[in-house]
Amino acid sequence: QVQLVESGGGLVQPGGSLRLSCAASGSIFRINAMNWYRQAPGKERELVATITSTCSTNYADSVKGRFIISRDNAKNTVYLQMNSLKPEDTAVYYCNADGLLDTLEYYNYWGQGTQVTVSS
């Protein structure tokens, strides 16, 4: 009932920047937290950043000072601005949305994922 469409992934050189976006659509009454996760080959999925409906944010220690999460509530879209990218940032990045449907039922949905590769 909720669809998350991610975009913005690709290949970038170390030190470069990339901006990911994820747009939510469907019978959404309210979006609470929106999150970005990532999973690299051979590693467990990790939470990268989260942003609440009041725009408070949290970041993983590995990306603090380099990544910025933001959201546009009118567009039901979350962004992840990634700066000073490192090879260890290479992973599939997934967005996640948590909130209420128009039926007031709770939902938690995931995007399809977008590949980010940092390499020279």
Side-chain angles (χ1 to χ4, degrees):
Q1 199 165 352
V2 176
Q3 183 180 14
L4 303 179
V5 180
E6 304 177 27
S7 62
L11 175 64
V12 65
Q13 293 185 337
S17 297
L18 209 59
R19 192 189 194 199
L20 307 182
S21 64
C22 177
S25 62
S27 301
I28 300 170
F29 178 76
R30 185 179 72 198
I31 299 176
N32 294 327
M34 298 190 79
N35 314 287
W36 285 99
Y37 290 80
R38 69 184 181 187
Q39 187 165 20
K43 296 183 179 180
E44 296 182 357
R45 184 193 66 184
E46 65 172 333
L47 177 63
V48 176
T50 185
I51 184 167
T52 70
S53 60
T54 57
C55 292
S56 63
T57 59
N58 282 291
Y59 299 91
D61 289 340
S62 59
V63 305
K64 285 181 178 178
R66 299 190 297 120
F67 290 11
I68 301 172
I69 187 171
S70 61
R71 64 190 289 173
D72 184 336
N73 291 332
K75 297 180 179 180
N76 286 338
T77 300
V78 62
Y79 305 93
L80 186 66
Q81 178 66 46
M82 304 183 293
N83 302 312
S84 301
L85 284 163
K86 305 174 181 179
E88 51 263 44
D89 294 319
T90 296
V92 177
Y93 285 71
Y94 301 91
C95 67
N96 170 264
D98 175 276
L100 296 176
L101 302 174
D102 57 6
T103 60
L104 302 187
E105 297 174 279
Y106 169 81
Y107 71 83
N108 188 293
Y109 283 92
W110 295 83
Q112 79 284 0
T114 185
Q115 176 71 47
V116 172
T117 302
V118 184
S119 176
S120 60

